[in-house]
């Protein structure tokens, strides 16, 4: 294809893009460097980007190959114009959908460092999408700031976005700022134009009131969301949570299953509702149906490899199968799952306590004093383990010394004692030939020994032994017993990346 044909092909693409007819993306990988400045201005537009996003991403039901193709297209736009902020934003969205979160975060921030945007609306969405990513990383304070910036830009161009307020309210819920969250979600309801959009807002209100413990109001809001959009999977998940918390396990299972079924109909595997599988598994767990619970947790992990709560709950299943069914290898598997949960979310205290409890079951006193965790960095081992090792080593050396000395006392009897030095002054009286009496003094130092009592030494040795084996005694006192833990549940939001 010669240069003239390339230009004609691109002009035809632009024409079809603006007319929104047919698949106008066939030529987007053309060498855009060969275009004239006027043609570049036409094709390097947010309208073209949005059309590509719609054709390559939204209409392709999250097919990975389409995302990878979209990645190439947006990178091609950036190669032509390094200041094309909107292209960076769309590339960040592709990375987010591919679960390449660190790359997405880097690209979003790079886009926002560009001062001149062709489309302020997309700039607002970029702040929102960065906030959504930070929310997923549990950086709720940072997410709130990005959502607020998105709202500020949208209001400056008179485009109030219900989504922005809705997701701001969700982040504020996580920070337990319920009054601010309620105000934000109410604004989302005010700015929602479509009935289906209001369903998402009512879902958020249901989550809010559930967190506040106002279950009747929460259920009312969720039922409103269901009436407005009967196929909204997240609503059924959250209604199921209410049922679960109220002990209505059969109703909870039915609603979680509906959430899973409606989610599958959306055909979007990249954003499947892993929370519904997690919560469905929880109901099976409390009913003692560990095989069914295990399947649901494993499916949740298959959907989201970074779902720490699913790893933790699956670890709980393994513990129960080991404790109650005596299945071999389940204990070791549980340890690995708890460790996986902690790698993903180091702040997961439940996983940490569960892992420590499991390790207490198998360590003896020597392990407690001298073993170290492979999951910790050298610095962490130094801080948390070295002090214990030093104390343990000192106690053992002291015990060895006391026992050796005690054996020597028994063998050699009173020959070993505590030296006692006394100075004795002896006066020698002598008489010389002349009859004069001469008095002389001489100092004599003598050493005596007194036997060392052995019983205090034996008592001290016994005390040291008790201190050393105390972890083992503690384990024996606790026994295997009933493993105490809680399963993690998770509600489902309805935010999205623009």
């Amino acid at each position: 294809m010669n240069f003239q044909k390339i230009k004609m092909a691109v002009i035809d693409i632009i024409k079809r893009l603006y007319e929104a007819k047919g698949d106008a993306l066939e030529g987007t990988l053309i060498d855009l460097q060969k275009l004239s400045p006027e043609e570049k201005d036409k094709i390097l537009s947010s309208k073209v980007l949005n059309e590509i996003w719609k054709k390559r991403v939204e209409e392709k039901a999250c097919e990975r190959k389409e995302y990878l193709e979209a990645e190439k297209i947006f990178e091609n736009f950036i190669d032509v114009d390094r200041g094309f902020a909107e292209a960076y934003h769309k590339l960040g969205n592709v990375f987010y959908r591919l679960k390449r979160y660190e790359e997405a975060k880097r690209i979003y921030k790079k886009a926002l460092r560009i001062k001149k945007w062709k489309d302020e609306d997309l700039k607002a969405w970029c702040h929102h999408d960065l906030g959504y990513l930070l929310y997923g990383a549990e950086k709720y304070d940072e997410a709130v700031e990005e959502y607020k910036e998105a709202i500020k830009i949208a209001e400056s161009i008179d485009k109030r976005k219900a989504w922005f307020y809705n997701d701001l309210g969700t982040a504020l819920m996580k920070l337990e700022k319920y009054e601010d969250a309620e105000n934000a979600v109410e604004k989302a309801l005010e700015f929602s134009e479509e009935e289906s959009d209001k369903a998402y807002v009512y879902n958020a209100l249901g989550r809010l009131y559930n967190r506040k413990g106002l279950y009747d109001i929460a259920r009312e809001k969720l039922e409103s969301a269901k009436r407005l959009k009967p196929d909204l999977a997240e609503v059924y998940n959250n209604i199921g949570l209410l049922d679960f918390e109220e002990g209505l396990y059969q109703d909870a299972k039915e609603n979680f299953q509906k959430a899973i079924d409606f989610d599958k109909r959306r055909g979007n595997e990249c954003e499947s509702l892993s929370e519904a599988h997690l919560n469905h598994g929880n109901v099976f767990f409390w009913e003692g149906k560990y095989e069914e619970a295990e399947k649901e947790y494993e499916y949740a992990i298959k959907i989201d490899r970074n779902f720490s709560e699913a790893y933790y709950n699956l670890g709980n299943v393994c513990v129960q199968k080991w404790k109650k069914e005596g299945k071999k290898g389940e204990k070791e598997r549980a340890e690995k799952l708890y460790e996986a949960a902690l790698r993903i979310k180091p702040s997961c205290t439940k996983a940490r306590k569960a892992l420590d409890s499991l390790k207490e079951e198998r360590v003896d006193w020597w392990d407690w004093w001298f073993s170290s965790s492979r999951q910790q960095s050298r610095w962490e081992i130094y801080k948390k383990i070295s002090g214990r090792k030093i104390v343990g080593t000192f106690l053992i050396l002291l015990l060895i010394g006391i026992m050796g000395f005690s054996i020597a006392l028994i063998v050699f009897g009173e020959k070993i004692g505590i030296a006692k030095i006394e100075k004795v002054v002896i006066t020698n009286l002598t008489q010389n030939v002349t009859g004069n009496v001469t008095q002389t003094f001489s100092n004599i130092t003598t050493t005596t020994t007194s036997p060392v009592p052995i019983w205090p030494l034996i008592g001290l040795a016994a005390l040291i032994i008790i201190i050393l084996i105390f972890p083992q005694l503690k384990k024996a006192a606790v026994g295997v017993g009933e493993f105490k833990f809680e399963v993690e549940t998770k509600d489902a939001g309805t935010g999205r990346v623009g």
Side-chain angles (χ1 to χ4, degrees), residues 12 31 70 100 234 236 278 348 359 371 434 444 453 471 486:
D12 183 58
D31 186 358
R100 290 154 60 179
E234 289 82 357
Y236 292 96
L278 176 86
C348 186
K359 288 185 175 180
S371 66
T434 60
I444 301 174
E486 299 175 9

Side-chain angles (χ1 to χ4, degrees), residues 262-488:
F262 281 120
D263 184 55
K264 286 180 179 178
R265 292 179 194 176
R266 290 191 291 208
N268 193 343
E269 291 185 2
C270 288
E271 294 186 346
S272 292
L273 199 59
S274 54
E275 294 91 346
H277 288 282
L278 176 86
N279 296 327
H280 200 203
N282 291 346
V283 184
F284 287 123
F285 180 90
W286 287 114
E287 290 179 340
K289 299 176 180 178
Y290 301 124
E291 296 296 333
E292 289 88 342
E294 182 176 6
K295 289 177 183 177
E296 292 294 336
Y297 295 148
E298 286 178 343
Y299 201 90
I301 292 170
K302 181 181 177 182
I303 295 170
D304 184 358
R305 294 290 180 184
N306 295 313
F307 200 178
S308 63
E309 290 87 350
Y311 286 99
Y312 168 71
N313 287 3
L314 184 55
N316 292 342
V317 169
C318 294
V319 169
Q320 289 299 305
K321 290 168 73 175
W322 164 58
K323 294 274 188 179
K324 295 185 176 180
E325 300 174 14
K327 291 191 175 181
K328 295 181 179 179
E330 293 295 336
K331 182 177 171 184
E332 290 73 18
R333 186 183 174 207
E335 287 184 9
K336 291 178 181 178
L337 288 164
Y338 291 144
E339 288 168 352
L342 286 168
R343 279 195 300 272
I344 297 166
K345 188 192 291 187
S347 61
C348 186
T349 55
K350 291 180 181 179
R352 170 59 61 193
K353 289 179 181 178
L355 182 60
D356 290 344
S357 296
L358 267 187
K359 288 185 175 180
E360 257 189 28
E361 294 283 353
R362 64 175 173 80
V363 300
D364 57 21
W365 67 274
W366 181 269
D367 292 323
W368 192 88
W369 286 101
F370 299 106
S371 66
S372 59
S373 172
R374 294 181 182 179
Q375 300 300 321
Q376 294 173 309
S377 67
R378 291 184 179 180
W379 173 241
E380 288 174 326
I381 291 172
Y382 173 78
K383 288 193 299 182
K384 298 179 180 180
I385 305 298
S386 291
R388 187 185 295 177
K389 285 183 177 179
I390 290 169
V391 173
T393 302
F394 172 77
L395 288 173
I396 287 178
L397 291 175
L398 181 60
L399 179 63
I400 292 171
I402 292 172
M403 291 178 68
F405 191 66
S406 298
I407 292 170
L409 281 178
I410 294 170
V411 173
F412 298 105
E414 295 187 1
K415 292 181 180 180
I416 298 175
I418 299 175
K420 183 178 181 181
I421 300 174
E422 296 178 351
K423 181 182 284 186
V424 181
V425 179
I426 300 176
T427 303
N428 294 320
L429 299 177
T430 59
Q431 186 173 12
N432 58 16
V433 180
T434 60
N436 297 321
V437 177
T438 303
Q439 183 173 310
T440 62
F441 300 90
S442 62
N443 294 333
I444 301 174
T445 302
T446 63
T447 302
T448 61
T449 59
S450 60
V452 178
I454 195 171
W455 293 113
L457 293 176
I458 293 175
L460 181 58
L463 177 62
I464 294 172
I465 291 172
I466 290 171
I467 292 172
L468 285 171
I469 67 171
F470 179 74
Q472 195 76 22
L473 295 175
K474 181 181 177 183
K475 172 187 165 183
V478 173
V480 175
E482 181 65 25
F483 194 76
K484 300 294 183 183
F485 54 81
E486 299 175 9
V487 292
E488 287 280 1

Side-chain angles (χ1 to χ4, degrees), residues 165 181-191 201 205 209 221:
Y165 287 102
E182 188 170 1
N183 290 335
V185 178
E186 289 290 351
K187 282 188 177 181
L189 188 61
E190 178 185 344
F191 297 136
V201 181
L205 284 170
Y209 289 119
K221 299 298 182 184

